[in-house]
Amino acid sequence: MQATDWIDLSGKVAHVTGAGHGIGVAIARALAAAGAKVAVSDVNTEGVAETAAEIGGLALELDVSDRDAVDRVMAETADKLGSLDILVNNAGVYVGYGGPVREITDEMWRKLWSINVDGVFYCCRAAASLMIDAGNGGRIINVASTQAVSPGVGVTYDGSKAAVTQITKALALELAPHNINVNALAPGPTWVQPGEAPPLGEQTPPRSGDPLADSVADRISRLPLGHWGDPMEQGKAAVFLASSMADFVTGIYLPVDGGWLVL
Ligand SMILES: NC(=O)c1ccc[n+]([C@@H]2O[C@H](COP(=O)([O-])OP(=O)(O)OC[C@H]3O[C@@H](n4cnc5c(N)ncnc54)[C@H](O)[C@@H]3O)[C@@H](O)[C@H]2O)c1
């Protein structure tokens, strides 16, 4: 026996949402590198086509907040690739939804929750249904955030990621009899902009008096591991949760955060 056998995903089919940019691209690359066949979806059709071309995967257009489209695309994954064994709910939005509570409009609130929470629920429901019918178990990985337990972006986003974390735990209990493990991956600050991540201090904006923004800026500048997260650090953790290494792991909230939650 070799330890590498424990992370071998040959014969498994994975679907990664929001894989046209950022962390989702790295998760798709990592699952493919571990041997899985990978379907990648996104509203960004150009980005997801590039990801699929690079890893030899299947590109699918999907807005996760569209329930019917989710049902159709999850079924298409299983039809075209033979099964659906691993779902990574990575699609999520945060830029443009923060700020003081009285400046947050109903539209901002509903839009973010329709993607970050409704989208996760729709994808979990569709994938769990396919996994239960197939009878071969499965893995669901929901991308939460350190903000689920340590606020920073604002009520809309922070609340949505707390919801994702509790949805994960409830589903872990419910789906355990079907041998479907459900876990949350909680990235810390991860550099998804083009180019090299700058040193932490350079990214710290001046104190603004906004307690949330100041708390995030302070923590980033003092991040214990001393550098921005690289998306592939999330990809590696996703492979762990998808693989036999995590056979007895379900219902956890796994921070991959450079020590953020220690601060
Ligand atoms: N980058 C970080 O520091 C960080 C930290 C904690 C958690 N996260 C979480 O990680 C996930 C990925 O974030 P990222 O930083 O890579 O973001 P990103 O913006 O770089 O990528 C997100 C992708 O999701 C897609 N997307 C947006 N709305 C969608 C929809 N309705 N349906 C399908 N796809 C949609 C976008 O087109 C984009 O390709 C998100 O859930 C985010 O909340 C990120």
Side-chain angles (χ1 to χ4, degrees):
M1 183 193 293
Q2 302 224 323
T4 47
D5 294 341
W6 298 331
I7 59 158
D8 183 4
L9 297 178
S10 304
K12 303 289 184 192
V13 172
H15 183 116
V16 185
T17 67
H21 188 265
I23 290 172
V25 178
I27 291 176
R29 284 177 178 149
L31 293 171
K37 285 192 272 182
V38 184
V40 285
S41 64
D42 205 297
V43 287
N44 172 357
T45 49
E46 206 174 303
V48 86
E50 276 176 31
T51 309
E54 182 198 320
I55 64 172
L58 173 67
L60 296 162
E61 180 175 4
L62 177 63
D63 177 347
V64 295
S65 68
D66 178 342
R67 181 191 51 207
D68 294 340
V70 167
D71 289 347
R72 192 175 60 246
V73 163
M74 291 302 155
E76 194 178 341
T77 301
D79 283 348
K80 290 198 170 147
L81 298 184
S83 62
L84 177 57
D85 307 294
I86 301 157
L87 166 67
V88 183
N89 280 312
N90 164 78
V93 290
Y94 46 92
V95 176
Y97 296 91
V101 66
R102 61 184 180 171
E103 291 173 18
I104 291 171
T105 63
D106 294 1
E107 289 69 29
M108 289 162 73
W109 175 268
R110 293 212 173 90
K111 177 75 179 167
L112 182 139
W113 275 64
S114 75
I115 298 169
N116 289 16
V117 183
D118 296 0
V120 168
F121 167 66
Y122 294 152
C123 291
C124 283
R125 181 173 62 185
S129 177
L130 290 164
M131 288 172 184
I132 291 168
D133 287 348
N136 296 319
R139 299 292 168 92
I140 296 176
I141 300 163
N142 293 326
V143 177
S145 168
T146 46
Q147 258 78 57
V149 296
S150 166
V153 178
V155 290
T156 313
Y157 180 79
D158 300 347
S160 78
K161 292 299 185 178
V164 166
T165 301
Q166 197 65 356
I167 288 167
T168 300
K169 292 180 184 179
L171 274 179
L173 263 186
E174 184 190 323
L175 298 178
H178 300 283
N179 199 23
I180 300 170
N181 300 21
V182 189
N183 292 295
L185 175 61
T190 303
W191 189 258
V192 294
Q193 303 310 317
E196 290 281 302
L200 291 176
E202 286 182 18
Q203 277 301 304
T204 309
R207 291 188 73 83
S208 64
D210 170 352
L212 281 178
D214 286 348
S215 135
V216 168
D218 283 352
R219 286 175 186 228
I220 288 181
S221 66
R222 295 186 293 124
L223 199 65
L225 285 182
H227 62 87
W228 278 86
D230 182 278
M232 190 49 84
E233 286 158 350
Q234 307 304 326
K236 291 174 186 170
V239 168
F240 163 70
L241 290 173
S243 74
S244 173
M245 298 280 272
D247 280 346
F248 202 49
V249 178
T250 197
I252 68 160
Y253 169 84
L254 176 63
V256 178
D257 68 347
W260 175 281
L261 289 180
V262 180
L263 294 172

